[in-house]
């Protein structure tokens, strides 16, 4: 198995950058397995507590219409690829309500930016996140727990968040760097060539 890698030079820690958003969700939610109904519930609960949200990615017209009713959610739609890292750095945390996920790129990209990635325990999420911080993994479909975990993180002091962010970045680059991914893939091809 060769996991995806994250570009640690592109997805960098924010430094002293002020967070414009408390939470960001990234990706297309068109497929039912992405858990849009859970995302909507989480957004409603977070906004009710004054939390600012950036919503990034493809949404159906019906989904967009639902989200437009939640004040406090900024709908950014599909953005150029080079803006994703900036938006993650301008947010305090990423969340995912996917009901099935392989190596979710947005999860490891957020960690590389020094941001926590809170996600449902779906597919490979636990395998990716638990060794870095088990508190990032939430029981599948448990929107209430997801909201609670995000709020607990946002309630930490800025210094504690910064320290955790540094650990997240260090750990994710140790496990999922682009170089490690490329080396593993090269190894697979070399074994195939030797056995051909």
């Amino acid at each position: 198995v060769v996991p995806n890698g994250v570009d640690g030079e592109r997805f960098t820690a924010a430094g002293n950058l002020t967070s414009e958003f408390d939470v960001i969700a990234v990706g297309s939610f068109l497929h039912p397995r992405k858990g849009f109904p859970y995302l909507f519930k989480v957004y409603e609960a977070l906004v009710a507590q004054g939390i600012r949200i950036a919503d990034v990615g493809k949404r159906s017209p019906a989904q967009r219409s639902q989200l437009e009713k939640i004040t406090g959610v900024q709908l950014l739609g599909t953005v150029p690829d080079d803006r994703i890292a900036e938006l993650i750095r301008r947010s305090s945390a990423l969340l995912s309500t996917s009901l099935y996920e392989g190596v979710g790129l947005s999860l490891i990209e957020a960690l590389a930016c020094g941001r926590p990635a809170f996600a449902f325990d779906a597919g490979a999420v636990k395998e990716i996140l638990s060794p870095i911080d088990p508190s990032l993994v939430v029981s599948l479909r448990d929107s209430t727990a997801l909201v609670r975990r995000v709020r607990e993180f946002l309630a930490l002091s800025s210094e504690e968040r910064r320290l955790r962010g540094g650990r997240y970045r260090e750990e994710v680059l140790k496990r999922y760097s682009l170089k490690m991914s490329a080396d593993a893939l090269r190894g697979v091809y070399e074994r195939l060539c030797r056995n051909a």
Side-chain angles (χ1 to χ4, degrees), residues 162-189:
R162 189 188 64 73
L163 289 171
R164 285 193 190 191
R167 287 195 303 270
Y168 295 150
R169 177 171 171 75
E170 184 181 324
E171 285 297 320
V172 80
L173 293 179
K174 201 187 303 180
R175 298 164 190 274
Y176 299 103
S177 72
L178 276 183
K179 182 179 179 342
M180 287 176 65
S181 224
D183 288 348
L185 194 57
R186 184 183 300 113
V188 170
Y189 281 119

Side-chain angles (χ1 to χ4, degrees), residues 38 96-99 119-122 125 138-143 146:
Y38 299 96
S96 168
T97 56
S98 187
L99 304 176
F120 285 156
D121 182 3
V125 166
V138 178
S139 295
L140 190 62
R141 294 182 171 89
D142 192 344
S143 304
L146 186 55

Side-chain angles (χ1 to χ4, degrees), residues 62-74:
Q63 289 172 341
R64 193 167 180 85
S65 173
Q66 276 185 275
L67 293 174
E68 284 170 350
K69 294 174 186 159
I70 309 175
T71 310
V73 175
Q74 189 166 337

Side-chain angles (χ1 to χ4, degrees), residues 28 31 40 46 120 168:
S28 170
H31 195 284
F40 184 76
L46 290 173
F120 285 156
Y168 295 150

